[in-house]
Amino acid sequence: MDNLRVALIGYGTGGAVFHAPLISAAPGLELAAVVARDPARRAAVRDRYSGTELLDAPDDVWSGGYDLVVVTTPNRTHVPLARAALDAGLPVVVDKPIATTAAEARSLAGGPLVVPFHNRRWDGDFRTAARLIGDGTLGRVLRFESRFNRWRPQIKPGWKETADPAAAGGALYDLGAHLIDQAITLFGPPVDVHAELDVRRTGAEAVDDAFVALTHPNGVRSHLWMSAISADLGPRFRVLGDRAAYVTYGLDVQEDQLRAGLTPEDATYGVTPPEAYGTVGTPGDTRPEPTDPGRYQDFYPAVAAAVRGEGPPPVTLEDAVAGLEVIETAMRRTGNG
């Protein structure tokens, strides 16, 4: 079977660090073209993917004979570019957040396949938490705590720091989209949402310190923290069950590995070292719990299968809508939307 020819729109961090390496490593896919205007980015594509065509603009994609489009551009362009791909009859993968609002995301339904890129479902620590919840090791889960905190007291200029609603910037959209998606994946869409959204740093415009609490239908409460101004990062996960807890610190290794040039073809890719394992147990009685390997490389083969009609998409448009509904509710209840 011929490989699906993929056109990647954008070669910033998302394109260079995540999408291009994962597409290139996926069986059944070919990184056929990259849209990039910046000379340094075009040179970087030539150096690493010598057989990949360079295109000047997204309009060069629609009639180029490609089988799949990947959109990894600033948030405000996600919906217009996705819609252009769909109008050309092309299935599309779109970076998170797929849209600014749930209504915008819904507007992409009804045509070719749309797959949101929620890669952190394949984080090793999240896969481990899901396994421990699923196999009953923790008992009945009572509370799910998840943090994506950073210490960035100095503002880095860019669209992610703007207050323009169309930019979908700030910690809630940038980091919260991951945490909310993970919580919904485990426990389902919430029946109640509480939020605390703040702008803490001097000169900041967008939300940079946020807390979201979700109540799920089964009674589990998810407490989610996302911040750019955390002088202590806290545990990445703290999952409390009526039998045991799972606690882990630090982020999944895959992003740093991809930034360093590793790919899923390297033996150490996705492997967390023993000193970074989380723990399972109760006060005074805990044991290290080996972290399941991170598996970002599972995303694109599943997309390829879905495009060919051989399986479901790894993430659905409805999944993205559910997460955006939480974000909108959080903003509305705090007077931000």
Side-chain angles (χ1 to χ4, degrees), residues 99-168:
T100 304
T101 67
E104 284 184 339
R106 289 191 195 96
S107 74
L108 301 175
L113 181 69
V114 180
V115 185
F117 185 64
H118 285 284
N119 60 300
R120 291 197 175 271
R121 293 188 186 186
W122 290 270
D123 280 1
D125 49 12
F126 179 71
R127 295 183 68 232
T128 306
R131 170 174 57 80
L132 294 169
I133 292 168
D135 68 15
T137 297
L138 307 182
R140 180 170 61 94
V141 175
L142 309 174
R143 194 174 300 274
F144 175 72
E145 297 180 5
S146 176
R147 292 169 176 81
F148 206 142
N149 291 334
R150 292 168 170 164
W151 175 239
R152 294 182 178 175
Q154 303 304 317
I155 297 169
K156 182 179 179 180
W159 60 265
K160 288 187 178 182
E161 294 283 4
T162 68
D164 181 358

Side-chain angles (χ1 to χ4, degrees), residues 18-19 22 78 93-99 105 114-123 126 172-185 254 295-296 298-300 303 314-324 327:
F18 293 99
H19 293 281
L22 296 176
H78 287 180
V93 170
V94 187
D95 250 335
K96 66 82 201 165
I98 193 172
V114 180
V115 185
F117 185 64
H118 285 284
N119 60 300
R120 291 197 175 271
R121 293 188 186 186
W122 290 270
D123 280 1
F126 179 71
L172 183 60
Y173 276 104
D174 186 30
L175 306 178
H178 287 307
L179 303 189
I180 291 165
D181 179 71
Q182 288 178 333
I184 291 176
T185 297
Q254 293 174 95
R295 297 285 306 180
Y296 289 172
D298 289 351
F299 177 83
Y300 272 107
V303 171
V315 184
T316 68
L317 184 59
E318 291 76 16
D319 293 339
V321 168
L324 286 166
I327 289 175

Side-chain angles (χ1 to χ4, degrees), residues 5 11 23 56 63 185 195 264:
R5 302 179 71 246
Y11 201 73
I23 293 166
D56 295 321
S63 59
T185 297

